[in-house]
Amino acid sequence: MFNRLRREAPVWWHECPGGEPFWAVTGYAEARSILCDPATFSSATERGGMFLRGNRAGAMELPEGVGGPMIETDPPRHQPHRRVLSSTFTPRSVATLESDVRAVTSACLDRVQDMGQFDFVSEVAHVIPSEVALSLMGVPRADWARLADLEHRALTSSDPEYVAGDSGVTTMDDALLALGLYFFELLSEKERTGGDDLLCHLLATPVQGTPRLAVDLVGEAILLMNGGLDTTRAAASAGGLLPLLELPDQQRQLREDPEGLTTAVDEFVRWGSPIRHVAR
């Protein structure tokens, strides 16, 4: 499908019966032009944002000054918000996490080895990134399983494993509401008690001298969790294990040359494409 679109119609108007019509842009040069032109093609929620609205028309109504998480903002608002977190994800900062990530990974692999047969997605690809991400955010361990379930329902709401009610839209809306309420309460508690996790860092760091609004902080918390759970789970599964099973010569090459893992990890993400589209 993508090959045909790129060959015959790199910019294609899709009527999307029953939903909001949109332009599908699949050519590299065309997509790059759009992504580098935020004045024309906006990420901001208050200008229409990054989400198709089904049969609902018009942009989402938000109070003045509210723009949601940084992924839903345009320049010049975007960069100051991004800098609050980007300093915690530099190569040097991430390198300090290596021993903790290795410990989580080793414990996970020891556990599944004893199981003999297991579901790689739920027992490995989900467990490792969720434990790392939720720990970094300072989410209490007792809440990890519930939050992970809600996050999967929000992002994969059309999956028969998660759909509830009349449609995936209901599943997604209910899950997002529950996540929003949870993080509002958790952020309120951390504001009182303090700490050194990512959520406390967000609370303690004003943007250009202005404290963050609660709705923005909740949005950032959900964004952090989404980035830490589903995208990594998909990259490890659809980008990593599945192709290595389907292409045994590639698996053999990697086993014979473990130093190729650095390149392989980047290739897993490219091949699996955990995020299939972005919208403007």
Side-chain angles (χ1 to χ4, degrees):
M1 180 188 69
F2 281 119
N3 285 339
R4 184 179 178 189
L5 281 169
R6 291 181 183 123
R7 183 175 63 250
E8 300 179 15
V11 178
W12 172 262
W13 177 248
H14 183 54
E15 288 292 346
C16 194
E20 182 182 16
F22 59 88
W23 292 99
V25 181
T26 55
Y28 176 83
E30 293 82 0
R32 182 175 176 82
S33 294
I34 288 172
L35 295 173
C36 292
D37 184 8
T40 306
F41 303 100
S42 175
S43 303
T45 306
E46 66 268 26
R47 291 178 56 191
M50 300 172 62
F51 299 96
L52 297 174
R53 290 177 290 277
N55 288 317
R56 292 171 289 178
M60 189 181 300
E61 294 293 332
L62 288 173
E64 184 178 353
V66 175
M70 62 180 173
I71 201 172
E72 296 174 19
T73 59
D74 294 327
R77 190 174 188 270
H78 178 79
Q79 290 87 341
H81 284 73
R82 186 178 186 276
R83 277 195 291 270
V84 172
L85 281 175
S86 61
S87 61
T88 65
F89 290 105
T90 62
R92 178 178 295 180
S93 297
V94 171
T96 64
L97 304 174
E98 182 174 350
S99 61
D100 293 336
V101 175
R102 283 186 179 276
V104 170
T105 304
S106 296
C108 177
L109 296 181
D110 287 344
R111 180 175 55 82
V112 298
Q113 185 175 18
D114 294 338
M115 295 170 67
Q117 185 174 353
F118 57 90
D119 183 322
F120 176 81
V121 178
S122 60
E123 300 293 344
V124 178
H126 161 71
V127 170
I128 296 172
S130 65
E131 288 199 13
V132 172
L134 295 175
S135 175
L136 286 173
M137 294 172 67
V139 174
R141 181 179 287 270
D143 298 334
W144 286 4
R146 173 174 172 257
L147 279 192
D149 180 70
L150 287 172
E151 193 267 350
H152 296 325
R153 291 180 186 277
L155 286 195
T156 56
S157 56
S158 60
D159 190 319
E161 182 178 350
Y162 296 112
V163 70
D166 297 332
S167 69
V169 174
T170 302
T171 303
M172 178 178 66
D173 288 347
D174 290 348
L176 286 173
L177 177 60
L179 285 172
L181 291 172
Y182 175 86
F183 278 116
F184 180 80
E185 293 177 0
L186 182 62
L187 285 160
S188 298
E189 179 183 343
K190 288 182 179 294
E191 192 169 25
R192 294 192 300 271
T193 61
D196 59 357
D197 53 65
L198 285 177
L199 296 186
C200 289
H201 178 68
L202 283 174
L203 282 164
T205 310
V207 176
Q208 296 180 312
T210 303
R212 305 288 293 278
L213 296 172
V215 66
D216 289 347
L217 291 172
V218 168
E220 298 287 25
I222 294 175
L223 174 64
L224 279 170
M225 189 176 66
N226 290 347
L229 272 66
D230 264 290
T231 52
T232 315
R233 182 177 73 157
S237 305
L241 185 67
L242 183 60
L244 290 177
L245 294 175
E246 294 175 335
L247 304 169
D249 61 314
Q250 297 291 298
Q251 182 181 158
R252 184 170 53 253
Q253 181 179 336
L254 195 55
R255 286 181 180 275
E256 293 173 354
D257 179 23
E259 291 185 2
L261 270 171
T262 301
T263 303
V265 169
D266 288 341
E267 186 68 359
F268 293 162
V269 176
R270 186 192 73 83
W271 187 259
S273 298
I275 298 176
R276 293 297 182 92
H277 67 274
V278 294
R280 293 292 185 270

